[in-house]
Amino acid sequence: MSMVVRATELIGRPIVTLDGSVDIAEVRDVVFDPQESMVAGFALRGRGVLSSPDAGVLPISRVRAIGRDAIMVAHADDVAASDVELSAAQTDRRNVLGDTVVTESGSQVGKVVNLILRVEGGSAEVVGYEIQGSDSGRSLIPVHATLSVSGDTLMVKDEVDRYASADLAGFGAAVDRHRQGDRA
Amino acid sequence: MTSLREAIDRRIIARDTAEEIGRLRRIIIGSDTHVTAITTGDLPQVAMLATPAPSMAVAAMPVEPPPPPSIVIDWTDIVGFGPDAIVVPSAAALRAPASEHERYAAEGGQDLLDRPAMTDGGDALGTIKDVQFDEKSGHIEGVVVGDATVKVAAIVAVGPHGVIVTPA
């Protein structure tokens, strides 16, 4: 069963081992692969106020499940000190958070403040963006309403308003409808 | 189907003497989500003995640990698991813990009651109020969280973060 969440909701989620039910760390940051529009993994910190701010990284390939309350791994060894692919994704300038959103006809509509993920099993796909408009209102747009992305700008279709949702409930279904419409 | 919470402290009676030989304290769960044994008591802590040292600082040293008590009964030795008593052939059914797993369980490491439960998919279920198991086969059928009984296909792990189950 899949669920749609904001990427920031994963911050602070504990990493729990299936072999011993031990929470070994928690999510400090979500690392994205802009090329694949997928979550590449997680940067971790220790649990507790006095714990280490850097507790390694967890590549998405080692994740067994992303749940509402915990991220499950088989055992503690699944957490690594570093990972080449995650490091590359972290430095990729096409990470859209904070990007200015501009339509193809040249209007600035806001700024990207969050990524919307569809989580299923142990994977997480970027299915949309949360935009904060100049009027401080927020809206969700599916990733398929975008045309291109650079280090500081996200280019979207002129008719982006047609695809926008006000809240998360039903956004996943709206994304599916949009995708089916594109294939029709 | 039997409730673990109701079964705790139930009398264990030897069939040959009709004498009570203990009361149910804990269940020991195997990797196949079956009860493999029950215990009648707790393992004692290792005793420490204070001895005077030349510096007058008190030093402590562990004494030789006593042999583990006979508090374990194999599930296969149980003749009847009834609503009022658990019957075994004789007091000879009692034995000491035979493995690290049994010692860990006898010390409470596998206790399920009042522990938080979570699915293997990372979704919290709630605090375990009771455990339902088959009194003939020993198979653990479900856990009671809140007002609901969650049928389990397997108990994946019991540890510091709680109990991880695979829902049926």
Side-chain angles (χ1 to χ4, degrees):
Chain A
M1 200 167 67
S2 66
M3 60 178 177
V4 176
V5 300
R6 290 180 171 85
T8 50
E9 291 177 40
L10 298 181
I11 306 294
R13 198 155 292 186
I15 313 300
V16 178
T17 65
L18 286 166
D19 66 349
S21 187
V22 180
D23 51 346
I24 55 176
E26 64 182 42
V27 175
R28 174 169 57 85
D29 196 10
V30 184
V31 183
F32 302 98
D33 180 345
Q35 197 139 352
E36 302 293 329
S37 285
M38 300 286 289
V39 170
F42 305 97
L44 307 178
R45 64 188 176 212
R47 299 276 280 161
V49 175
L50 300 177
S51 57
S52 168
D54 184 356
V57 296
L58 176 61
I60 198 70
S61 59
R62 306 313 296 258
V63 172
R64 288 293 188 91
I66 301 172
R68 286 189 303 269
D69 305 287
I71 294 172
M72 312 303 285
V73 295
H75 38 71
D77 290 348
D78 285 322
V79 171
S82 63
D83 182 270
V84 172
E85 287 181 15
L86 277 189
S87 297
Q90 280 174 302
T91 55
D92 191 319
R93 292 189 64 248
R94 288 172 299 148
N95 198 330
V96 301
L97 278 177
D99 276 9
T100 301
V101 184
V102 176
T103 65
E104 57 186 323
S105 57
S107 298
Q108 182 171 319
V109 295
K111 204 180 274 282
V112 179
V113 294
N114 218 326
L115 274 70
I116 308 301
L117 308 178
R118 171 178 278 139
V119 172
E120 187 153 14
S123 69
E125 175 192 8
V126 179
V127 294
Y129 307 108
E130 185 168 33
I131 311 295
Q132 179 154 338
S134 51
D135 60 353
S136 298
R138 293 193 174 196
S139 61
L140 310 177
I141 61 169
V143 71
H144 287 88
T146 64
L147 295 169
S148 57
V149 57
S150 69
D152 53 26
T153 301
L154 180 72
M155 180 78 60
V156 297
K157 298 176 182 175
D158 278 337
E159 62 271 26
V160 65
D161 282 348
R162 188 153 62 91
Y163 307 120
S165 292
D167 52 48
L168 213 51
F171 182 71
V175 167
D176 290 338
R177 282 196 304 272
H178 175 71
R179 281 177 174 170
Q180 286 165 8
D182 273 358
R183 282 197 289 267
Chain B
M1 203 62 56
T2 290
S3 150
L4 174 60
R5 194 175 283 278
E6 290 177 4
I8 286 175
D9 206 38
R10 190 167 295 168
R11 302 171 68 201
I12 302 172
I13 300 176
R15 184 175 55 186
D16 59 348
T17 60
E19 298 278 347
E20 178 178 315
I21 62 170
R23 294 202 174 224
L24 176 62
R25 179 76 176 94
R26 294 191 161 91
I27 58 173
I28 296 178
I29 305 167
S31 57
D32 59 355
T33 312
H34 277 74
V35 179
T36 57
I38 61 175
T39 72
T40 62
D42 295 322
L43 290 181
Q45 298 292 319
V46 174
M48 304 296 284
L49 184 69
T51 58
S55 65
M56 300 302 289
V58 174
M61 53 183 278
V63 297
E64 195 64 32
S70 296
I71 59 168
V72 178
I73 297 174
D74 287 314
W75 183 260
T76 50
D77 280 339
I78 295 174
V79 174
F81 200 112
D84 305 299
I86 300 164
V87 181
V88 297
S90 70
L94 285 164
R95 62 168 176 78
S99 65
E100 276 305 309
H101 172 73
E102 286 191 348
R103 290 187 65 87
Y104 175 71
E107 290 167 356
Q110 268 196 335
D111 284 355
L112 304 182
L113 296 179
D114 302 318
R115 301 290 308 283
M118 167 174 287
T119 69
D120 55 0
D123 299 329
L125 293 171
T127 301
I128 296 177
K129 298 300 182 195
D130 204 351
V131 178
Q132 302 284 335
F133 64 97
D134 186 309
E135 65 270 19
K136 289 193 171 22
S137 70
H139 185 256
I140 301 206
E141 300 288 338
V143 294
V144 180
V145 286
D147 294 328
T149 297
V150 177
K151 288 191 176 299
V152 301
I155 292 181
V156 176
V158 182
H161 197 74
V163 183
I164 299 176
V165 302
T166 301

